Amino acid sequence: MAAVLRTLGILLSTNHRAPTRCCSGFVSRMRLLNRLKEDNESCAAALQTGLFFLFHRLSPLLHRVHAGTFRPVLLSCSDLQSVLQRSGSDGSLLKESVLIGCSEQNQAQFCLDVGDLDQLVVAEACRGAFVDLRKAFFLLPAADSPLVAKAQALLRWHQTNGFCSATGQPTVRNQAGSHRVCSTNKSIIHYPKMSPVVIALLSDGKRCLLGRQASFPPGLYSALAGFCDMGETLEEALCREVAEEVGLEVRSVSYSSSQHWPFPHSSFMVGCHATVSPAHTQLDVDRSELEDARWFSLEEISSALQVKTPPRKGDPPTVWLPPRHALANQLITEWWDRQRRSEALP
């Protein structure tokens, strides 16, 4: 009987223990990032064990992994200090690093622009090369491009927001670089901002519509996009942009996904699919907005999707699309996949 009571006591005490919560890796990373953004001392300490992406005047430092594939150069704090010293910096530049993320091992990730240092010296010391971000988007794997784009966007924001728009006085950043504060009015805090842009792939049921601006490389076509005006909904902005650029009326809109886009400055791209009436597909292109716009068949899109890298100078003219990790490419691929499956049905 005593043994039974002891066993019962153990069971009862176990049932009354305080419940434990399992904190996922994602949750722990997000909480660490939030702490580093809010606590200057914690962020300064994280610099000593962090990983660093380097930029030179907003161009990321990349190294070749194998033919046609590049990755960002990642430096430890000690490696970065060595590179800075070799380039003639006293090492204080490290404090200008901006927090951009956290690895799965809870290691803080920072970016730093070394534009005041000799580009070739830094690149040689790191065994890499500084590459314009637009070109880098065609070279980087899909997993790397969002973090590199975020890093460049934050660095650009800091470089262009050194003064308070309300008082005209200098602003001071916190250690993480998550915000800037007016030096004369501490209640005025400036945070990085993104401009909302709607990007839409139009379809008439059989074809999709792509356009190109005069600034695009030869042969590049993409989905239509435009900034949202003040007070507009996404749907209103989409319908207005389509009417302005190609003279069509949108019949229906469905949401796909979103993406940060760093060109020309930080934009919040909201991707949608839209349809127009098959009876009203005649284009009236505004040449001040677009150099060209036209309907593409499923076969033409299939061919364009096969072009994996931009054509080289001297190659035959061909239609090609934005890089595979761009939202425009995703919209086109989604339409292509749905259209292909639809036409395969009996």
Side-chain angles (χ1 to χ4, degrees), residues 25-43:
F26 175 78
V27 171
S28 66
R29 290 198 300 277
M30 294 305 102
R31 289 181 173 175
L32 172 60
L33 275 175
N34 189 55
R35 185 169 73 251
L36 297 181
K37 289 178 182 178
E38 296 182 349
D39 188 332
N40 286 339
E41 291 185 2
S42 295
C43 189

Side-chain angles (χ1 to χ4, degrees), residues 35-322:
R35 185 169 73 251
L36 297 181
K37 289 178 182 178
E38 296 182 349
D39 188 332
N40 286 339
E41 291 185 2
S42 295
C43 189
L47 282 171
Q48 305 306 314
T49 58
L51 295 174
F52 297 83
F53 294 79
L54 289 191
F55 289 73
H56 190 278
R57 297 179 183 174
L58 300 179
S59 292
L61 181 65
L62 310 182
H63 68 97
R64 186 190 299 269
V65 179
H66 50 76
T69 303
F70 288 73
R71 298 292 302 273
V73 175
L74 271 179
L75 299 175
S76 66
C77 181
S78 59
D79 289 339
L80 176 57
Q81 290 282 27
S82 176
V83 170
L84 293 179
Q85 291 172 6
R86 192 183 308 183
S87 305
S89 172
D90 60 4
S92 61
L93 188 61
L94 179 71
K95 296 180 180 179
E96 299 301 314
S97 302
V98 175
L99 179 69
I100 54 172
C102 183
S103 72
E104 292 186 358
Q105 292 73 38
N106 281 359
Q107 191 170 17
Q109 299 165 319
F110 298 88
C111 60
L112 176 65
D113 196 298
V114 294
D116 290 335
L117 303 182
D118 188 291
Q119 178 178 347
L120 294 178
V121 172
V122 176
E124 183 179 346
C126 298
R127 298 181 181 179
F130 290 101
V131 181
D132 179 81
L133 188 61
R134 287 185 183 273
K135 182 178 179 181
F137 257 51
F138 289 95
L139 302 173
L140 290 168
D144 291 330
S145 57
L147 199 58
V148 172
K150 177 181 179 180
Q152 196 229 41
L154 285 170
L155 291 171
R156 183 193 297 274
W157 182 79
H158 280 286
Q159 292 175 9
T160 56
N161 285 270
F163 293 88
C164 177
S165 58
T167 67
Q169 297 301 308
T171 58
V172 180
R173 51 164 283 185
N174 65 335
Q175 182 60 66
S178 60
H179 64 265
R180 301 186 71 93
V181 180
C182 177
S183 58
T184 58
N185 187 341
K186 304 300 183 184
S187 66
I188 303 178
I189 304 175
H190 300 274
Y191 294 94
K193 294 178 175 62
M194 297 188 295
S195 300
V197 173
V198 61
I199 179 168
L201 188 70
L202 267 66
S203 174
D204 66 354
K206 292 291 184 180
R207 303 169 298 173
C208 70
L209 181 69
L210 301 178
R212 57 172 280 108
Q213 297 177 4
S215 60
F216 284 9
L220 176 63
Y221 279 78
S222 185
L224 303 185
F227 288 94
C228 296
D229 281 346
M230 187 68 72
E232 279 187 325
T233 65
L234 289 170
E235 293 83 358
E236 289 170 342
L238 190 160
C239 293
R240 174 183 55 77
E241 285 289 341
V242 171
E244 289 176 354
E245 294 186 353
V246 294
L248 296 178
E249 290 190 26
V250 171
R251 187 167 63 174
S252 66
V253 178
S254 62
Y255 170 76
S256 172
S257 57
S258 62
Q259 179 184 42
H260 167 250
W261 191 247
F263 309 115
H265 300 291
S266 280
S267 300
F268 179 59
M269 306 283 286
V270 181
C272 298
H273 290 279
T275 62
V276 298
S277 170
H280 300 89
T281 60
Q282 182 65 40
L283 301 181
D284 180 13
V285 180
D286 182 351
R287 301 296 174 179
S288 67
E289 293 274 354
L290 298 174
E291 182 183 79
D292 186 36
R294 63 186 181 89
W295 292 103
F296 288 81
S297 67
L298 177 62
E299 292 73 20
E300 290 173 313
I301 294 298
S302 297
S303 297
L305 287 170
Q306 298 303 311
V307 181
K308 302 301 182 184
T309 58
R312 296 180 179 179
K313 186 177 294 186
D315 288 348
T318 186
V319 171
W320 54 292
L321 306 173

